[in-house]
Amino acid sequence: MSQESNQGAAEELKLDNQLCFAIYATVHSYNRLYKPLLDPIELTYPQYLVMLVLWEGDDLTVKEVGQRLLLDSGTLTPLLKRLEAAGRVRRTRDLVDERQVRITLTPEGQALKRIAATIPAEINLATGLGAKCIEDLRRELVALWTGLEARLDGHAASKS
C-alpha cells in the first residue's frame, strides 16, 4: 500500500470525519438540553416522545405508539408503566381484541401539553440556527434516515 493511500485511509478513519459521530454528538447535546426543560414536568426524554405521540392522537395501541417511535413493546412497556404510575396515561385492554393494550392520556397528561408547548421553541433557540435552516436540516435528516432504512430493508430482503 502506498503512503498516499495510507494517508487517505487514515483521514477516512478520523473520528472528526465521521458523519455517524457528528450525529451521535448532536443527539448527546440535544439530550442534555432537554433535561432541564423536562425535569420540571417530571418527564424523561423517551417519556416526552411518547407524550408527543399521544398529544398528536390519543387512544392508541402500544403497537401504534411503538411503530411511531421505532420502539418494540419490550422497550416501550416500562416507559408506559412509569407514565401510568405518574398519572399521565391509562393503559387498558382493547374491548375488541384483548391482546391489544390501548394507551390514553389522563387529564393530567393532557394538561402537560400546554406546559410542554414552549419546549420546541426553547430547543430551536438553543441551536442558534434560524427556522429555515432547522427545517432544511430536519428534512435532510429525514431523507438520510429514509435512505438508510431503505438500504437496511434491501439488505434484509436479499438475505431471505
Side-chain angles (χ1 to χ4, degrees), residues 61-77:
T61 65
V62 171
K63 183 178 180 178
E64 290 168 328
V65 174
Q67 287 172 333
R68 191 76 166 86
L69 294 174
L70 310 174
L71 295 174
D72 61 39
S73 64
T75 303
L76 193 53
T77 298

Side-chain angles (χ1 to χ4, degrees), residues 42-110:
E42 298 175 351
L43 289 177
T44 63
Y45 183 72
Q47 290 171 341
Y48 173 67
L49 295 179
V50 169
M51 296 302 287
L52 287 173
V53 170
L54 293 171
W55 290 328
E56 280 182 28
D58 197 4
D59 192 27
L60 300 173
T61 65
V62 171
K63 183 178 180 178
E64 290 168 328
V65 174
Q67 287 172 333
R68 191 76 166 86
L69 294 174
L70 310 174
L71 295 174
D72 61 39
S73 64
T75 303
L76 193 53
T77 298
L79 280 172
L80 293 169
K81 284 183 177 181
R82 284 192 294 277
L83 285 169
E84 183 177 41
R88 308 306 178 57
V89 302
R90 190 172 299 110
R91 297 178 317 133
T92 55
R93 292 277 168 198
D94 187 278
L95 297 175
V96 176
D97 182 354
E98 289 189 8
R99 295 172 297 173
Q100 297 289 325
V101 175
R102 300 199 74 78
I103 310 301
T104 54
L105 290 166
T106 62
E108 183 183 335
Q110 194 62 257

Side-chain angles (χ1 to χ4, degrees), residues 7-22:
Q7 286 176 333
E11 279 299 306
E12 285 190 14
L13 292 176
K14 283 187 176 179
L15 182 63
D16 290 342
N17 293 340
Q18 306 302 310
L19 175 61
C20 61
F21 184 71

